[in-house]
Every structure is written in C-alpha cells, then in structure tokens.
Amino acid sequence: MDIRIGIFNSPREIGFETSQPANEIEETVAAALAGQTGYLKLSDSKGRVYIVPTIGLAYVELGSEESRRVGFVA
C-alpha cells in the first residue's frame, strides 16, 4: 500500500510503501490524532520507521492495497 504524508510548512511530502493493511494504518493515524501519543509512527516495507509529530500533520493519504503490475497485461 502506498502512503503519502503531508507536513505543514513543507513543500515536500513523505511517501513510502508498506505491507500493513489499510484498517491498521487508519487506527494508528486516528490514535495519534486523538492525542494518545503525540506522534505518528509508521514503518515501510524495507524496515524504515517514520515518526512525525501530530502537530505537523497536514494529511495522510492511503493508496490502493493492490500491487502494481509490471509489463503488458492482456
């Protein structure tokens, strides 16, 4: 699944792929925004961890869970 995170006052966004299901990511984002932790912590499919303070979150965009197809598909 593709994830894009927008940060306030930053022209760039954080983008990565993860193997976590969409509902798990939604729960993590909702808990972070509810103020339980003060930060959003997600990991990508390569093992990198992204920690973003919730005060800086502009948006979190969840892409499709389907993997991209490579080559010609009939």
Short mmCIF file of all heavy atoms in Angstrom, two decimals:
data_model
loop_
_atom_site.label_atom_id
_atom_site.label_comp_id
_atom_site.label_asym_id
_atom_site.label_seq_id
_atom_site.Cartn_x
_atom_site.Cartn_y
_atom_site.Cartn_z
N MET A 1 0.84 -1.16 0.00
CA MET A 1 0.00 0.00 0.00
C MET A 1 0.89 1.23 0.00
O MET A 1 1.89 1.29 0.70
CB MET A 1 -0.88 -0.01 1.24
CG MET A 1 -1.47 1.33 1.53
SD MET A 1 -2.52 1.39 2.93
CE MET A 1 -3.72 0.22 2.45
N ASP A 2 0.52 2.21 -0.81
CA ASP A 2 1.24 3.47 -0.88
C ASP A 2 0.70 4.42 0.18
O ASP A 2 -0.52 4.54 0.35
CB ASP A 2 1.09 4.13 -2.25
CG ASP A 2 1.74 3.32 -3.35
OD1 ASP A 2 2.78 2.70 -3.07
OD2 ASP A 2 1.21 3.30 -4.47
N ILE A 3 1.60 5.13 0.85
CA ILE A 3 1.22 6.11 1.86
C ILE A 3 1.95 7.40 1.54
O ILE A 3 3.15 7.40 1.25
CB ILE A 3 1.59 5.64 3.28
CG1 ILE A 3 0.82 4.38 3.62
CG2 ILE A 3 1.31 6.74 4.30
CD1 ILE A 3 1.14 3.82 4.97
N ARG A 4 1.22 8.51 1.62
CA ARG A 4 1.82 9.84 1.48
C ARG A 4 1.39 10.66 2.67
O ARG A 4 0.21 10.71 3.02
CB ARG A 4 1.37 10.50 0.18
CG ARG A 4 1.94 9.80 -1.01
CD ARG A 4 1.65 10.42 -2.33
NE ARG A 4 0.73 11.54 -2.31
CZ ARG A 4 0.28 12.14 -3.39
NH1 ARG A 4 0.65 11.72 -4.57
NH2 ARG A 4 -0.56 13.14 -3.32
N ILE A 5 2.37 11.32 3.30
CA ILE A 5 2.11 12.14 4.48
C ILE A 5 2.53 13.56 4.17
O ILE A 5 3.68 13.81 3.82
CB ILE A 5 2.89 11.62 5.71
CG1 ILE A 5 2.49 10.18 6.01
CG2 ILE A 5 2.65 12.52 6.92
CD1 ILE A 5 3.33 9.53 7.10
N GLY A 6 1.59 14.49 4.30
CA GLY A 6 1.88 15.90 4.10
C GLY A 6 2.24 16.55 5.42
O GLY A 6 1.63 16.26 6.45
N ILE A 7 3.22 17.44 5.38
CA ILE A 7 3.69 18.14 6.57
C ILE A 7 3.41 19.64 6.40
O ILE A 7 3.69 20.20 5.34
CB ILE A 7 5.21 17.92 6.78
CG1 ILE A 7 5.56 16.44 6.74
CG2 ILE A 7 5.70 18.57 8.06
CD1 ILE A 7 4.98 15.60 7.83
N PHE A 8 2.87 20.29 7.46
CA PHE A 8 2.64 21.73 7.41
C PHE A 8 3.94 22.47 7.16
O PHE A 8 5.00 22.09 7.68
CB PHE A 8 2.03 22.24 8.72
CG PHE A 8 0.57 21.95 8.85
CD1 PHE A 8 0.11 21.19 9.90
CD2 PHE A 8 -0.34 22.43 7.93
CE1 PHE A 8 -1.24 20.92 10.03
CE2 PHE A 8 -1.69 22.16 8.05
CZ PHE A 8 -2.15 21.41 9.11
N ASN A 9 3.88 23.55 6.38
CA ASN A 9 5.01 24.42 6.07
C ASN A 9 6.18 23.69 5.43
O ASN A 9 7.33 24.08 5.62
CB ASN A 9 5.48 25.16 7.33
CG ASN A 9 4.40 26.02 7.92
OD1 ASN A 9 3.63 26.64 7.20
ND2 ASN A 9 4.32 26.05 9.24
N SER A 10 5.90 22.64 4.70
CA SER A 10 6.94 21.90 3.99
C SER A 10 6.44 21.63 2.57
O SER A 10 5.35 21.07 2.40
CB SER A 10 7.25 20.59 4.69
OG SER A 10 8.20 19.85 3.96
N PRO A 11 7.22 21.99 1.56
CA PRO A 11 6.77 21.76 0.19
C PRO A 11 6.83 20.29 -0.23
O PRO A 11 6.22 19.90 -1.21
CB PRO A 11 7.74 22.60 -0.65
CG PRO A 11 8.97 22.69 0.19
CD PRO A 11 8.50 22.69 1.62
N ARG A 12 7.56 19.48 0.51
CA ARG A 12 7.69 18.07 0.16
C ARG A 12 6.83 17.22 1.08
O ARG A 12 6.46 17.63 2.17
CB ARG A 12 9.14 17.64 0.28
CG ARG A 12 10.03 18.41 -0.69
CD ARG A 12 11.41 17.92 -0.68
NE ARG A 12 11.43 16.55 -1.19
CZ ARG A 12 12.50 15.80 -1.21
NH1 ARG A 12 13.64 16.25 -0.75
NH2 ARG A 12 12.46 14.58 -1.69
N GLU A 13 6.53 16.04 0.61
CA GLU A 13 5.76 15.09 1.41
C GLU A 13 6.57 13.82 1.60
O GLU A 13 7.52 13.56 0.87
CB GLU A 13 4.43 14.77 0.75
CG GLU A 13 4.55 14.15 -0.61
CD GLU A 13 3.24 14.03 -1.33
OE1 GLU A 13 2.25 14.67 -0.94
OE2 GLU A 13 3.20 13.28 -2.31
N ILE A 14 6.18 13.04 2.58
CA ILE A 14 6.82 11.75 2.84
C ILE A 14 6.00 10.70 2.10
O ILE A 14 4.79 10.61 2.27
CB ILE A 14 6.84 11.43 4.34
CG1 ILE A 14 7.62 12.50 5.10
CG2 ILE A 14 7.45 10.05 4.58
CD1 ILE A 14 7.49 12.38 6.61
N GLY A 15 6.65 9.90 1.28
CA GLY A 15 5.96 8.85 0.53
C GLY A 15 6.72 7.54 0.64
O GLY A 15 7.94 7.51 0.52
N PHE A 16 5.97 6.46 0.90
CA PHE A 16 6.59 5.14 1.01
C PHE A 16 5.53 4.06 0.83
O PHE A 16 4.35 4.34 0.82
CB PHE A 16 7.33 4.98 2.34
CG PHE A 16 6.46 5.15 3.56
CD1 PHE A 16 5.87 4.07 4.18
CD2 PHE A 16 6.25 6.41 4.09
CE1 PHE A 16 5.08 4.23 5.30
CE2 PHE A 16 5.46 6.58 5.21
CZ PHE A 16 4.88 5.49 5.82
N GLU A 17 6.00 2.82 0.70
CA GLU A 17 5.11 1.66 0.59
C GLU A 17 5.22 0.83 1.86
O GLU A 17 6.30 0.71 2.43
CB GLU A 17 5.49 0.80 -0.61
CG GLU A 17 5.13 1.42 -1.93
CD GLU A 17 5.34 0.45 -3.08
OE1 GLU A 17 5.27 -0.77 -2.86
OE2 GLU A 17 5.56 0.94 -4.20
N THR A 18 4.10 0.27 2.27
CA THR A 18 4.09 -0.56 3.47
C THR A 18 3.25 -1.80 3.21
O THR A 18 2.41 -1.83 2.32
CB THR A 18 3.55 0.21 4.68
OG1 THR A 18 3.65 -0.61 5.85
CG2 THR A 18 2.11 0.61 4.49
N SER A 19 3.49 -2.82 4.02
CA SER A 19 2.71 -4.06 3.88
C SER A 19 1.58 -4.13 4.92
O SER A 19 0.84 -5.10 4.94
CB SER A 19 3.64 -5.27 4.05
OG SER A 19 4.28 -5.22 5.31
N GLN A 20 1.44 -3.09 5.74
CA GLN A 20 0.37 -3.06 6.73
C GLN A 20 -0.98 -2.88 6.04
O GLN A 20 -1.08 -2.16 5.05
CB GLN A 20 0.58 -1.91 7.72
CG GLN A 20 1.79 -2.06 8.60
CD GLN A 20 1.99 -0.85 9.47
OE1 GLN A 20 2.11 0.26 8.97
NE2 GLN A 20 2.01 -1.07 10.77
N PRO A 21 -2.02 -3.49 6.57
CA PRO A 21 -3.36 -3.32 5.98
C PRO A 21 -3.90 -1.91 6.25
O PRO A 21 -3.49 -1.25 7.21
CB PRO A 21 -4.20 -4.39 6.66
CG PRO A 21 -3.46 -4.75 7.89
CD PRO A 21 -2.02 -4.47 7.65
N ALA A 22 -4.81 -1.45 5.40
CA ALA A 22 -5.35 -0.10 5.48
C ALA A 22 -6.04 0.18 6.81
O ALA A 22 -5.87 1.25 7.39
CB ALA A 22 -6.32 0.14 4.34
N ASN A 23 -6.81 -0.78 7.31
CA ASN A 23 -7.53 -0.54 8.57
C ASN A 23 -6.58 -0.37 9.75
O ASN A 23 -6.83 0.42 10.65
CB ASN A 23 -8.55 -1.64 8.84
CG ASN A 23 -7.93 -3.02 8.94
OD1 ASN A 23 -6.74 -3.21 8.67
ND2 ASN A 23 -8.74 -3.98 9.32
N GLU A 24 -5.45 -1.06 9.74
CA GLU A 24 -4.46 -0.91 10.80
C GLU A 24 -3.80 0.48 10.75
O GLU A 24 -3.59 1.11 11.79
CB GLU A 24 -3.39 -1.99 10.66
CG GLU A 24 -2.36 -2.00 11.76
CD GLU A 24 -1.37 -3.14 11.59
OE1 GLU A 24 -1.80 -4.27 11.30
OE2 GLU A 24 -0.16 -2.88 11.74
N ILE A 25 -3.54 0.97 9.56
CA ILE A 25 -2.95 2.29 9.41
C ILE A 25 -3.94 3.36 9.83
O ILE A 25 -3.59 4.33 10.52
CB ILE A 25 -2.47 2.52 7.96
CG1 ILE A 25 -1.31 1.57 7.66
CG2 ILE A 25 -2.06 3.96 7.73
CD1 ILE A 25 -0.89 1.55 6.24
N GLU A 26 -5.21 3.20 9.45
CA GLU A 26 -6.24 4.15 9.85
C GLU A 26 -6.36 4.23 11.37
O GLU A 26 -6.50 5.32 11.93
CB GLU A 26 -7.59 3.75 9.26
CG GLU A 26 -7.69 4.01 7.77
CD GLU A 26 -9.04 3.59 7.22
OE1 GLU A 26 -10.05 3.67 7.95
OE2 GLU A 26 -9.08 3.17 6.06
N GLU A 27 -6.31 3.09 12.05
CA GLU A 27 -6.38 3.07 13.51
C GLU A 27 -5.18 3.76 14.13
O GLU A 27 -5.31 4.50 15.11
CB GLU A 27 -6.48 1.63 14.02
CG GLU A 27 -7.79 0.96 13.70
CD GLU A 27 -7.79 -0.52 14.04
OE1 GLU A 27 -6.79 -1.02 14.59
OE2 GLU A 27 -8.81 -1.18 13.75
N THR A 28 -4.00 3.55 13.57
CA THR A 28 -2.78 4.18 14.07
C THR A 28 -2.85 5.70 13.91
O THR A 28 -2.50 6.44 14.82
CB THR A 28 -1.54 3.63 13.34
OG1 THR A 28 -1.51 2.21 13.49
CG2 THR A 28 -0.26 4.22 13.88
N VAL A 29 -3.30 6.16 12.74
CA VAL A 29 -3.42 7.60 12.49
C VAL A 29 -4.47 8.21 13.42
O VAL A 29 -4.26 9.27 14.01
CB VAL A 29 -3.77 7.87 11.01
CG1 VAL A 29 -4.11 9.33 10.79
CG2 VAL A 29 -2.61 7.45 10.12
N ALA A 30 -5.62 7.54 13.58
CA ALA A 30 -6.68 8.05 14.44
C ALA A 30 -6.20 8.15 15.90
O ALA A 30 -6.50 9.13 16.59
CB ALA A 30 -7.92 7.16 14.35
N ALA A 31 -5.47 7.15 16.37
CA ALA A 31 -4.95 7.18 17.75
C ALA A 31 -3.96 8.32 17.93
O ALA A 31 -3.95 9.00 18.96
CB ALA A 31 -4.30 5.85 18.09
N ALA A 32 -3.12 8.55 16.92
CA ALA A 32 -2.14 9.64 17.01
C ALA A 32 -2.84 10.99 17.02
O ALA A 32 -2.47 11.88 17.79
CB ALA A 32 -1.16 9.56 15.84
N LEU A 33 -3.86 11.16 16.20
CA LEU A 33 -4.58 12.43 16.14
C LEU A 33 -5.44 12.66 17.37
O LEU A 33 -5.74 13.80 17.72
CB LEU A 33 -5.43 12.50 14.87
CG LEU A 33 -4.64 12.58 13.57
CD1 LEU A 33 -5.59 12.53 12.38
CD2 LEU A 33 -3.80 13.84 13.54
N ALA A 34 -5.85 11.59 18.03
CA ALA A 34 -6.64 11.72 19.26
C ALA A 34 -5.79 12.19 20.43
O ALA A 34 -6.31 12.47 21.50
CB ALA A 34 -7.31 10.39 19.59
N GLY A 35 -4.49 12.25 20.23
CA GLY A 35 -3.61 12.78 21.26
C GLY A 35 -3.07 11.75 22.22
O GLY A 35 -2.52 12.09 23.25
N GLN A 36 -3.23 10.49 21.91
CA GLN A 36 -2.76 9.45 22.82
C GLN A 36 -1.24 9.38 22.86
O GLN A 36 -0.66 9.08 23.89
CB GLN A 36 -3.34 8.10 22.42
CG GLN A 36 -4.85 8.04 22.57
CD GLN A 36 -5.43 6.73 22.08
OE1 GLN A 36 -4.70 5.83 21.68
NE2 GLN A 36 -6.73 6.62 22.11
N THR A 37 -0.56 9.67 21.73
CA THR A 37 0.89 9.55 21.70
C THR A 37 1.59 10.87 21.40
O THR A 37 2.71 11.07 21.84
CB THR A 37 1.33 8.52 20.64
OG1 THR A 37 0.84 8.95 19.37
CG2 THR A 37 0.81 7.14 20.95
N GLY A 38 0.98 11.74 20.61
CA GLY A 38 1.62 12.99 20.23
C GLY A 38 2.44 12.88 18.96
O GLY A 38 2.97 13.86 18.47
N TYR A 39 2.55 11.67 18.43
CA TYR A 39 3.28 11.46 17.19
C TYR A 39 2.67 10.30 16.42
O TYR A 39 1.97 9.47 16.97
CB TYR A 39 4.76 11.19 17.44
CG TYR A 39 5.03 9.95 18.27
CD1 TYR A 39 5.17 8.71 17.67
CD2 TYR A 39 5.15 10.03 19.65
CE1 TYR A 39 5.41 7.57 18.43
CE2 TYR A 39 5.39 8.90 20.41
CZ TYR A 39 5.52 7.67 19.79
OH TYR A 39 5.75 6.54 20.54
N LEU A 40 2.95 10.28 15.12
CA LEU A 40 2.52 9.20 14.24
C LEU A 40 3.75 8.38 13.88
O LEU A 40 4.74 8.94 13.41
CB LEU A 40 1.87 9.75 12.98
CG LEU A 40 1.49 8.75 11.90
CD1 LEU A 40 0.45 7.77 12.42
CD2 LEU A 40 0.98 9.46 10.66
N LYS A 41 3.68 7.09 14.10
CA LYS A 41 4.81 6.20 13.82
C LYS A 41 4.35 5.11 12.87
O LYS A 41 3.47 4.32 13.19
CB LYS A 41 5.32 5.59 15.12
CG LYS A 41 6.50 4.67 14.96
CD LYS A 41 6.95 4.13 16.31
CE LYS A 41 8.07 3.15 16.15
NZ LYS A 41 8.48 2.59 17.46
N LEU A 42 4.96 5.07 11.68
CA LEU A 42 4.66 4.06 10.67
C LEU A 42 5.97 3.50 10.14
O LEU A 42 7.00 4.16 10.16
CB LEU A 42 3.86 4.67 9.52
CG LEU A 42 2.48 5.21 9.85
CD1 LEU A 42 1.91 5.96 8.66
CD2 LEU A 42 1.55 4.09 10.25
N SER A 43 5.93 2.28 9.64
CA SER A 43 7.12 1.67 9.06
C SER A 43 6.83 1.25 7.62
O SER A 43 5.70 0.90 7.29
CB SER A 43 7.59 0.47 9.88
OG SER A 43 6.57 -0.49 9.95
N ASP A 44 7.86 1.27 6.79
CA ASP A 44 7.69 0.88 5.40
C ASP A 44 8.07 -0.58 5.19
O ASP A 44 8.45 -1.28 6.13
CB ASP A 44 8.47 1.80 4.46
CG ASP A 44 9.98 1.69 4.60
OD1 ASP A 44 10.46 0.83 5.37
OD2 ASP A 44 10.68 2.45 3.92
N SER A 45 7.95 -1.04 3.96
CA SER A 45 8.21 -2.44 3.65
C SER A 45 9.69 -2.79 3.69
O SER A 45 10.05 -3.96 3.69
CB SER A 45 7.63 -2.79 2.28
OG SER A 45 8.14 -1.93 1.30
N LYS A 46 10.57 -1.78 3.75
CA LYS A 46 12.01 -2.02 3.83
C LYS A 46 12.53 -1.99 5.26
O LYS A 46 13.72 -2.15 5.48
CB LYS A 46 12.75 -0.98 3.00
CG LYS A 46 12.45 -1.07 1.53
CD LYS A 46 13.20 -0.01 0.76
CE LYS A 46 12.84 -0.09 -0.72
NZ LYS A 46 13.54 0.95 -1.49
N GLY A 47 11.64 -1.74 6.22
CA GLY A 47 12.05 -1.74 7.62
C GLY A 47 12.35 -0.37 8.19
O GLY A 47 12.68 -0.24 9.36
N ARG A 48 12.25 0.68 7.38
CA ARG A 48 12.47 2.04 7.89
C ARG A 48 11.27 2.49 8.71
O ARG A 48 10.14 2.14 8.41
CB ARG A 48 12.68 3.02 6.74
CG ARG A 48 14.00 2.83 6.07
CD ARG A 48 14.19 3.87 4.99
NE ARG A 48 14.47 3.12 3.77
CZ ARG A 48 14.20 3.50 2.55
NH1 ARG A 48 13.61 4.64 2.34
NH2 ARG A 48 14.51 2.74 1.53
N VAL A 49 11.52 3.29 9.73
CA VAL A 49 10.46 3.79 10.61
C VAL A 49 10.35 5.30 10.41
O VAL A 49 11.36 6.01 10.40
CB VAL A 49 10.76 3.46 12.08
CG1 VAL A 49 9.71 4.04 12.99
CG2 VAL A 49 10.85 1.95 12.27
N TYR A 50 9.12 5.79 10.27
CA TYR A 50 8.84 7.21 10.11
C TYR A 50 8.07 7.68 11.33
O TYR A 50 7.01 7.14 11.65
CB TYR A 50 8.02 7.47 8.84
CG TYR A 50 8.72 7.02 7.59
CD1 TYR A 50 8.59 5.72 7.12
CD2 TYR A 50 9.51 7.91 6.88
CE1 TYR A 50 9.25 5.31 5.97
CE2 TYR A 50 10.17 7.51 5.73
CZ TYR A 50 10.03 6.21 5.28
OH TYR A 50 10.69 5.81 4.15
N ILE A 51 8.59 8.71 12.01
CA ILE A 51 7.94 9.28 13.18
C ILE A 51 7.69 10.76 12.87
O ILE A 51 8.62 11.51 12.62
CB ILE A 51 8.80 9.13 14.44
CG1 ILE A 51 9.06 7.65 14.70
CG2 ILE A 51 8.11 9.78 15.63
CD1 ILE A 51 10.02 7.38 15.83
N VAL A 52 6.41 11.16 12.89
CA VAL A 52 6.03 12.53 12.57
C VAL A 52 5.20 13.07 13.72
O VAL A 52 4.22 12.44 14.13
CB VAL A 52 5.20 12.58 11.27
CG1 VAL A 52 4.80 14.00 10.92
CG2 VAL A 52 5.95 11.93 10.12
N PRO A 53 5.57 14.24 14.28
CA PRO A 53 4.74 14.85 15.33
C PRO A 53 3.35 15.17 14.78
O PRO A 53 3.22 15.67 13.66
CB PRO A 53 5.48 16.12 15.72
CG PRO A 53 6.84 16.00 15.13
CD PRO A 53 6.75 15.04 13.99
N THR A 54 2.32 14.89 15.54
CA THR A 54 0.96 15.11 15.05
C THR A 54 0.66 16.58 14.84
O THR A 54 -0.19 16.92 14.03
CB THR A 54 -0.08 14.52 16.02
OG1 THR A 54 0.14 15.04 17.33
CG2 THR A 54 0.00 13.02 16.05
N ILE A 55 1.36 17.46 15.51
CA ILE A 55 1.13 18.89 15.32
C ILE A 55 1.53 19.33 13.92
O ILE A 55 1.03 20.32 13.40
CB ILE A 55 1.85 19.71 16.40
CG1 ILE A 55 1.28 21.10 16.45
CG2 ILE A 55 3.34 19.75 16.18
CD1 ILE A 55 1.41 21.77 17.78
N GLY A 56 2.40 18.58 13.26
CA GLY A 56 2.86 18.93 11.92
C GLY A 56 2.13 18.23 10.79
O GLY A 56 2.40 18.49 9.62
N LEU A 57 1.18 17.34 11.12
CA LEU A 57 0.48 16.58 10.09
C LEU A 57 -0.52 17.45 9.33
O LEU A 57 -1.40 18.06 9.92
CB LEU A 57 -0.29 15.40 10.70
CG LEU A 57 0.51 14.18 11.08
CD1 LEU A 57 -0.42 13.15 11.71
CD2 LEU A 57 1.22 13.58 9.90
N ALA A 58 -0.38 17.52 8.03
CA ALA A 58 -1.35 18.20 7.18
C ALA A 58 -2.37 17.19 6.65
O ALA A 58 -3.57 17.45 6.67
CB ALA A 58 -0.66 18.91 6.03
N TYR A 59 -1.89 16.03 6.19
CA TYR A 59 -2.77 14.97 5.70
C TYR A 59 -2.02 13.65 5.65
O TYR A 59 -0.80 13.61 5.65
CB TYR A 59 -3.33 15.29 4.31
CG TYR A 59 -2.28 15.41 3.23
CD1 TYR A 59 -1.86 14.30 2.51
CD2 TYR A 59 -1.68 16.64 2.94
CE1 TYR A 59 -0.89 14.39 1.54
CE2 TYR A 59 -0.71 16.75 1.97
CZ TYR A 59 -0.32 15.63 1.27
OH TYR A 59 0.65 15.73 0.31
N VAL A 60 -2.78 12.57 5.63
CA VAL A 60 -2.25 11.22 5.41
C VAL A 60 -3.10 10.60 4.32
O VAL A 60 -4.30 10.47 4.47
CB VAL A 60 -2.30 10.37 6.70
CG1 VAL A 60 -1.79 8.96 6.41
CG2 VAL A 60 -1.50 11.01 7.81
N GLU A 61 -2.46 10.25 3.21
CA GLU A 61 -3.17 9.67 2.07
C GLU A 61 -2.81 8.21 1.95
O GLU A 61 -1.64 7.84 1.87
CB GLU A 61 -2.77 10.41 0.80
CG GLU A 61 -3.45 9.90 -0.44
CD GLU A 61 -3.00 10.67 -1.68
OE1 GLU A 61 -2.97 11.90 -1.64
OE2 GLU A 61 -2.64 9.99 -2.66
N LEU A 62 -3.84 7.36 1.94
CA LEU A 62 -3.65 5.92 1.79
C LEU A 62 -3.98 5.54 0.36
O LEU A 62 -5.07 5.84 -0.14
CB LEU A 62 -4.55 5.15 2.75
CG LEU A 62 -4.41 5.50 4.23
CD1 LEU A 62 -5.39 4.68 5.05
CD2 LEU A 62 -3.01 5.27 4.71
N GLY A 63 -3.06 4.85 -0.30
CA GLY A 63 -3.27 4.40 -1.67
C GLY A 63 -3.95 3.05 -1.70
O GLY A 63 -4.43 2.54 -0.69
N SER A 64 -3.95 2.44 -2.85
CA SER A 64 -4.58 1.14 -3.01
C SER A 64 -3.70 0.04 -2.43
O SER A 64 -2.49 0.17 -2.35
CB SER A 64 -4.86 0.86 -4.49
OG SER A 64 -3.64 0.76 -5.19
N GLU A 65 -4.34 -1.04 -2.05
CA GLU A 65 -3.61 -2.17 -1.48
C GLU A 65 -3.12 -3.14 -2.55
O GLU A 65 -2.39 -4.06 -2.26
CB GLU A 65 -4.49 -2.93 -0.48
CG GLU A 65 -4.76 -2.13 0.77
CD GLU A 65 -5.42 -2.95 1.84
OE1 GLU A 65 -4.96 -4.07 2.09
OE2 GLU A 65 -6.39 -2.48 2.41
N GLU A 66 -3.53 -2.93 -3.79
CA GLU A 66 -3.10 -3.80 -4.87
C GLU A 66 -1.68 -3.48 -5.27
O GLU A 66 -1.27 -2.33 -5.31
CB GLU A 66 -4.01 -3.63 -6.09
CG GLU A 66 -5.43 -4.05 -5.85
CD GLU A 66 -6.29 -3.84 -7.08
OE1 GLU A 66 -5.73 -3.54 -8.17
OE2 GLU A 66 -7.49 -3.96 -6.97
N SER A 67 -0.93 -4.53 -5.60
CA SER A 67 0.43 -4.30 -6.07
C SER A 67 0.39 -3.88 -7.54
O SER A 67 -0.51 -4.24 -8.28
CB SER A 67 1.28 -5.55 -5.90
OG SER A 67 0.73 -6.60 -6.67
N ARG A 68 1.39 -3.13 -7.93
CA ARG A 68 1.45 -2.67 -9.31
C ARG A 68 1.86 -3.80 -10.22
O ARG A 68 2.73 -4.59 -9.90
CB ARG A 68 2.46 -1.53 -9.42
CG ARG A 68 2.08 -0.34 -8.63
CD ARG A 68 3.11 0.74 -8.81
NE ARG A 68 2.85 1.80 -7.87
CZ ARG A 68 3.74 2.62 -7.41
NH1 ARG A 68 4.99 2.50 -7.78
NH2 ARG A 68 3.41 3.57 -6.56
N ARG A 69 1.26 -3.85 -11.38
CA ARG A 69 1.61 -4.86 -12.36
C ARG A 69 2.72 -4.32 -13.25
O ARG A 69 2.71 -3.16 -13.65
CB ARG A 69 0.42 -5.24 -13.20
CG ARG A 69 -0.67 -5.88 -12.37
CD ARG A 69 -1.80 -6.33 -13.24
NE ARG A 69 -2.82 -6.94 -12.42
CZ ARG A 69 -3.89 -7.49 -12.90
NH1 ARG A 69 -4.10 -7.51 -14.20
NH2 ARG A 69 -4.78 -8.03 -12.11
N VAL A 70 3.64 -5.18 -13.58
CA VAL A 70 4.76 -4.80 -14.42
C VAL A 70 4.62 -5.53 -15.75
O VAL A 70 4.30 -6.70 -15.80
CB VAL A 70 6.11 -5.18 -13.75
CG1 VAL A 70 7.26 -4.82 -14.64
CG2 VAL A 70 6.22 -4.50 -12.41
N GLY A 71 4.87 -4.81 -16.84
CA GLY A 71 4.79 -5.43 -18.16
C GLY A 71 3.44 -5.22 -18.80
O GLY A 71 2.63 -4.43 -18.36
N PHE A 72 3.21 -5.97 -19.84
CA PHE A 72 1.97 -5.86 -20.58
C PHE A 72 0.95 -6.86 -20.04
O PHE A 72 1.25 -8.02 -19.88
CB PHE A 72 2.20 -6.12 -22.07
CG PHE A 72 3.09 -5.11 -22.70
CD1 PHE A 72 4.43 -5.37 -22.90
CD2 PHE A 72 2.59 -3.87 -23.06
CE1 PHE A 72 5.25 -4.43 -23.48
CE2 PHE A 72 3.42 -2.93 -23.63
CZ PHE A 72 4.75 -3.20 -23.84
N VAL A 73 -0.24 -6.36 -19.75
CA VAL A 73 -1.29 -7.22 -19.22
C VAL A 73 -2.41 -7.25 -20.24
O VAL A 73 -2.89 -6.22 -20.70
CB VAL A 73 -1.82 -6.67 -17.88
CG1 VAL A 73 -2.93 -7.55 -17.35
CG2 VAL A 73 -0.68 -6.57 -16.88
N ALA A 74 -2.84 -8.44 -20.61
CA ALA A 74 -3.89 -8.58 -21.62
C ALA A 74 -5.24 -8.63 -20.99
O ALA A 74 -5.47 -8.94 -19.90
CB ALA A 74 -3.66 -9.83 -22.44
#
